[in-house]
Amino acid sequence: MELYWKRNLSMLWLGLFFNHMAYTLSVPFFPIFLQNDLGIQSGLEAWSGVSISISFLISALCAPFWGSLADKYGRKPMLIRSGIGLAAAHFANYFVHDPFMFILVRIFQGLMAGFSPASIALVGSNTPEKHVGYALGVISTSTAAGGILGPLVGGVLSHYMGLRECFIASGIITLVSALIVFVGVKEVHERKVGVQSSVRNDLKQAAGNTQLKRIFGLTLLVSTSVMILEPLLTIYVVQIGGSINNASLSSGIVFSAVGVATVIMAPRWGIIGGRIGYDKILFIGLLGGGIGNLLQVGVHHLIGFGILRFSYGLFFAAVYPALNALIVKYAETDFRGRAVSLNQSASQFGIVAGPLLGGVLGGWIGIQFVFVITGATLLGAALTMKMLSSKRVDQKLTG
């Protein structure tokens, strides 16, 4: 483990970077694809929400199964399996000309998902304990960096070549991520013998761990708050002054702002968390994310909106490294991979609920009010967490 962890971290960073770049290269522009290529003219917000959510619903249901296989056979085979399957799904989208067939391809994409949790679990299990916080902070920047280039490259490609070509590019890039893992990652895996744990037993074990339950709940809430805006941002960019013809390029820049901020701050938050505690930086991230969402309501200019998205990202970059590090901290070593997979299920359910809620609420009460709801929810989570932390301290003092 001591010999390979730095090499694995580098290779997994690249693999996850390309994988997430491929995802964000096309997904943010689903509303435009649905409208211009698949003929959806009414209920666009709802269709966008469903097309994003359905893949993550299937992924959430499958995550414990893939996690169990990863504990048995290793994370590397799961990464390669996911990379090849996701590439096939991206290629299939190129040939879709019907919205219902598009939904079916998204279901298949959900079945093939799991690249990110397997990467995190491999880093957590193949990194020396003293370096885990740093490694998880670094690996979290890979998706953020992919989230910078993906929307920008997708915006340029879709503007000059068309959205269908984005799907081909996504497939090729995803295959590259699988190849990087196949060639570059060396996993130290001890295959378990004897009776293997079932998903039901994993859930029972997690239910008996109060700290893990709290993290899973926060992950669900955070993922929902992030994804509730996913089907709306491109539409909102047009509403606040972006050109319809340049919507994919303008929204790509806005999407990338949060990724830039995360790349800058996530490793620093990881280091700070190792010094002051990950509970504290989680509180800072939730607080900053809540305030950042509320401030976005008052901005009606594209440049100002992009600047606020960047500022929000600087604080919110603390959240996911803190959550991942806390799972590593509170889960027993032999349960760590399954705990990460269960947490991924919680994240996936949030990713399912978020776009659906965003699609419904955006068309019903307006996109600006969705920012208000998201900001208030994150602030509520931060304050609740603070109160629970203070209560634990009081109990220790009086105990």
Side-chain angles (χ1 to χ4, degrees):
M1 182 187 298
E2 194 73 45
L3 293 174
Y4 298 114
W5 77 270
K6 290 183 179 179
R7 171 184 168 179
N8 284 345
L9 182 60
S10 299
M11 292 297 101
L12 288 170
W13 193 98
L14 283 174
L16 201 51
F17 164 75
F18 282 117
N19 190 271
H20 198 69
M21 177 184 172
Y23 167 79
T24 56
L25 195 144
S26 52
V27 169
F29 315 119
F30 278 6
I32 301 172
F33 181 68
L34 285 163
Q35 187 175 52
N36 295 347
D37 287 67
L38 302 186
I40 300 297
Q41 300 301 323
S42 61
L44 180 60
E45 294 92 347
W47 269 100
S48 299
V50 170
S51 65
I52 294 171
S53 293
I54 191 65
S55 177
F56 293 107
L57 173 61
I58 302 302
S59 177
L61 295 173
C62 293
F65 171 72
W66 293 129
S68 180
L69 286 183
D71 280 340
K72 185 176 182 180
Y73 297 109
R75 280 85 183 178
K76 182 175 176 178
M78 294 300 103
L79 284 164
I80 296 170
R81 183 270 313 163
S82 179
I84 294 173
L86 289 173
H90 286 307
F91 288 135
N93 279 325
Y94 178 84
F95 301 99
V96 168
H97 291 276
D98 176 84
F100 294 101
M101 185 59 68
F102 183 55
I103 298 297
L104 286 177
V105 174
R106 291 290 294 160
I107 290 173
F108 173 73
Q109 191 164 349
L111 288 171
M112 294 294 104
F115 198 95
S116 179
S119 298
I120 294 170
L122 201 156
V123 168
S125 61
N126 275 233
T127 301
E129 197 73 30
K130 61 183 178 181
H131 299 300
V132 166
Y134 165 77
L136 289 174
V138 169
I139 201 69
S140 70
T141 66
S142 60
T143 55
I148 296 169
L149 282 184
L152 289 176
V153 173
V156 172
L157 277 178
S158 63
H159 182 72
Y160 290 105
M161 299 180 65
L163 279 168
R164 292 187 183 275
E165 283 66 29
C166 288
F167 294 128
I168 295 296
S170 291
I172 294 171
I173 295 170
T174 305
L175 284 178
V176 170
S177 72
L179 181 62
I180 289 171
V181 171
F182 178 75
V183 174
V185 172
K186 174 70 173 179
E187 181 180 11
V188 179
H189 176 70
E190 295 181 5
R191 182 167 179 172
K192 293 181 174 64
V193 296
V195 179
Q196 300 297 317
S197 178
S198 66
V199 173
R200 178 181 294 181
N201 289 335
D202 292 344
L203 290 171
K204 286 181 179 179
Q205 185 170 345
N209 189 322
T210 303
Q211 299 293 352
L212 280 182
K213 284 193 296 183
R214 190 168 295 144
I215 294 169
F216 294 161
L218 276 173
T219 298
L220 173 64
L221 186 146
V222 166
S223 296
T224 303
S225 74
V226 171
M227 294 301 296
I228 199 170
L229 295 168
E230 185 85 1
L232 304 176
L233 277 179
T234 301
I235 301 169
Y236 190 63
V237 164
V238 175
Q239 290 181 3
I240 62 175
S243 166
I244 295 177
N245 293 329
N246 297 323
S248 59
L249 185 58
S250 299
S251 59
I253 295 171
V254 170
F255 269 97
S256 297
V258 176
V260 172
T262 304
V263 167
I264 293 171
M265 282 304 297
R268 291 171 174 81
W269 285 124
I271 294 170
I272 295 169
R275 294 173 181 168
I276 69 173
Y278 292 102
D279 292 278
K280 291 181 180 178
I281 68 162
L282 180 57
F283 170 75
I284 293 170
L286 292 172
L287 186 66
I291 294 172
N293 270 287
L294 292 175
L295 291 176
Q296 290 172 55
V297 177
V299 178
H300 303 282
H301 187 273
L302 194 58
I303 295 176
F305 183 66
I307 292 172
L308 265 180
R309 292 290 295 171
F310 174 80
S311 302
Y312 148 84
L314 289 175
F315 287 94
F316 202 73
V319 172
Y320 283 112
L323 288 171
N324 290 331
L326 289 172
I327 288 175
V328 172
K329 177 181 177 180
Y330 293 123
E332 297 178 7
T333 303
D334 61 349
F335 185 61
R336 194 170 287 169
R338 285 167 286 157
V340 169
S341 293
L342 289 174
N343 189 60
Q344 183 67 13
S345 289
S347 177
Q348 299 286 17
F349 282 121
I351 293 171
V352 170
L356 289 175
L357 285 172
V360 172
L361 293 174
W364 177 38
I365 62 176
I367 297 175
Q368 283 186 311
F369 288 101
V370 178
F371 283 108
V372 174
I373 292 171
T374 303
T377 301
L378 290 176
L379 284 177
L383 294 175
T384 301
M385 182 184 162
K386 188 69 173 178
M387 287 188 293
L388 288 172
S389 179
S390 299
K391 185 178 179 180
R392 287 199 303 271
V393 171
D394 291 339
Q395 287 174 344
K396 288 181 180 179
L397 291 174
T398 56

